[in-house]
Amino acid sequence: MNAVDPGNPATTGGAPGPLILGIESSCDETGVGIVRGTELLTNTVSSSMDEHVRFGGVIPEIASRAHLEAFVPTLQAALDDAGVTLDEIDAIAVTAGPGLSGALMVGVAAAKALAVATGKPLYAINHLVAHVGVGMVGGTFAGGLPPNLGALLVSGGHTEILRVGNIASDVELLGSTIDDAAGEAYDKTARILGLGYPGGPAIDRLAREGNPKAIRFPRGLSQPKYMGTAEEPGPHRYDWSFSGLKTAVARSVEQYEAAGLEVPVADIAASFQEAVVDIITSKAVLACREHGITNLLLGGGVAANRRLRELTAERCAAAGITLTVPAPSLCTDNGAMVAALGAQIVLDGGRPSGIAFGTNPSLPVTSIVLPEG
């Protein structure tokens, strides 16, 4: 399978940059996006979230079946919205990991079928790096990704701080959660408080009515033995842990109930949220300062959280770091981010992955595009 020549008008339709179709199916969103270089043509998403509400979380089998049902209509809607045909597409990019195994398989199988049927080159790319690549489209960054770039990704499945040298070939993981992701902690805490699913928006809304200083919940991995110093970093200097925080919330609720007192749900929600965003932002800014990162992109579904955006902006400003947050529709999982990263890999001269690759639910962030074979 041949690579796209980004400098050849015959492979770019005479327009600046290759025309890339991106497919995303790592969790509960079926996303198809189309970009031409750094121009976003469409970002079409079908979500199965409503089907998971009664279970209080994403059920992998339900998500996989929803992808099967949604893919063809979502693909057709994306092509229609962009005003292009499959024949005009220069290459296809698909999320190969990380994510839910069954869900990934649906998207990858669809992408391989399209690649075989059309003869288009196929790029198997990293979901996490795609969250950074989306900064290339939608007017997020003017003139391309800035130098000394980092990315703070906060979602239902991931919480990471990255250093980005070259979006197509050089991404380094500086820190990550060692247990629950921030979004998972929100969902589990919302369940404890009886707020339903998804937990993030519910807690964010209720927190506005509460006192964020009412209860001092723990900030995981913030003790000196984990942090160390800049000269001698501890084992988890830039890492997070949220499982203890979730347990602390449950114990707090139990204590109020055991004492026969009304549970101050709004105060607990506000105090929980403050603990999450405090430790996320403090460690992210620390990592940036100690690695020369002067530009930070905040992405992932939890980037829509009001308090996270507010405190990240405040602390970045104090540290002299320029913060960029894509539009909410580009922060959540979507096909546009996959297409955007695919376009950058093509422009960087990256080779296609062929069709022999497999999915990898635990794909490391350093594997930006899977090699052929």
Side-chain angles (χ1 to χ4, degrees):
M1 191 173 286
N2 296 325
V4 174
D5 178 1
N8 182 356
T11 64
T12 60
L19 188 62
I20 308 295
L21 172 73
I23 298 170
E24 157 62 25
S25 69
S26 65
C27 191
D28 60 340
E29 284 95 4
T30 306
V32 178
I34 300 174
V35 304
R36 180 178 280 112
T38 58
E39 178 189 3
L40 176 61
L41 301 184
T42 187
N43 181 29
T44 305
V45 178
S46 174
S47 175
S48 62
M49 180 180 292
D50 290 347
E51 299 179 43
H52 305 281
V53 168
R54 60 193 172 115
F55 300 103
V58 175
I59 305 301
E61 179 63 22
I62 293 176
S64 299
R65 291 181 180 181
H67 287 308
L68 282 170
E69 295 174 0
F71 179 73
V72 172
T74 305
L75 171 63
Q76 190 59 59
L79 292 170
D80 292 344
D81 187 47
V84 301
T85 66
L86 280 176
D87 286 340
E88 295 174 279
I89 296 294
D90 292 314
I92 300 167
V94 63
T95 295
L100 301 176
S101 180
L104 289 169
M105 288 180 185
V106 176
V108 166
K112 288 181 178 181
L114 286 175
V116 171
T118 63
K120 307 295 183 179
L122 177 60
Y123 294 80
I125 68 170
N126 191 297
H127 171 87
L128 297 179
V129 184
H131 273 298
V132 186
V134 78
M136 297 297 296
V137 300
T140 304
F141 287 120
L145 294 179
N148 304 317
L149 177 64
L152 174 59
L153 307 181
V154 189
S155 71
H158 306 281
T159 307
E160 287 97 359
I161 179 72
L162 314 177
R163 182 198 63 79
V164 182
N166 182 317
I167 189 65
S169 60
D170 178 21
V171 176
E172 176 186 4
L173 178 66
L174 300 180
S176 65
T177 177
I178 65 171
D179 41 54
D180 288 348
E184 288 176 290
Y186 268 90
D187 288 340
K188 292 176 180 178
T189 296
R191 191 178 305 129
I192 293 171
L193 297 177
L195 300 179
Y197 175 85
I203 288 179
D204 194 24
R205 285 192 299 270
L206 188 60
R208 303 183 190 195
E209 304 172 14
N211 178 7
K213 297 181 180 179
I215 304 171
R216 175 70 183 185
F217 285 126
R219 275 68 167 162
L221 302 181
S222 61
Q223 301 93 328
K225 66 179 180 179
Y226 297 121
M227 295 294 294
T229 65
E231 293 74 25
E232 296 184 19
H236 296 294
R237 186 167 180 79
Y238 311 126
D239 294 332
W240 296 277
S241 171
F242 299 107
S243 61
L245 172 59
K246 173 201 64 180
T247 301
V249 170
R251 295 277 169 80
S252 178
V253 171
E254 290 170 359
Q255 289 170 359
Y256 280 104
E257 292 176 339
L261 301 174
E262 182 179 351
V263 178
V265 178
D267 283 349
I268 292 176
S271 299
F272 161 80
Q273 176 158 279
E274 194 66 18
V276 172
V277 300
D278 178 30
I279 194 64
I280 286 178
T281 56
S282 63
K283 286 204 171 195
V285 169
L286 177 66
C288 289
R289 296 179 69 169
E290 294 184 353
H291 287 81
I293 293 171
T294 56
N295 289 280
L296 182 67
L297 180 142
L298 174 61
V302 185
N305 180 276
R306 168 194 55 85
R307 183 57 180 151
L308 177 62
R309 294 165 75 108
E310 179 181 273
L311 191 56
T312 305
E314 178 183 316
R315 289 181 167 170
C316 281
I321 299 167
T322 300
L323 176 67
T324 300
V325 186
S329 62
L330 295 176
C331 285
T332 54
D333 295 347
N334 61 83
M337 70 184 197
V338 178
L341 178 57
Q344 294 307 304
I345 291 170
V346 168
L347 291 167
D348 197 62
R351 301 295 301 174
S353 303
I355 59 171
F357 67 89
T359 59
N360 186 345
S362 302
L363 187 66
V365 72
T366 48
S367 295
I368 300 171
V369 57
L370 298 186
E372 187 170 5

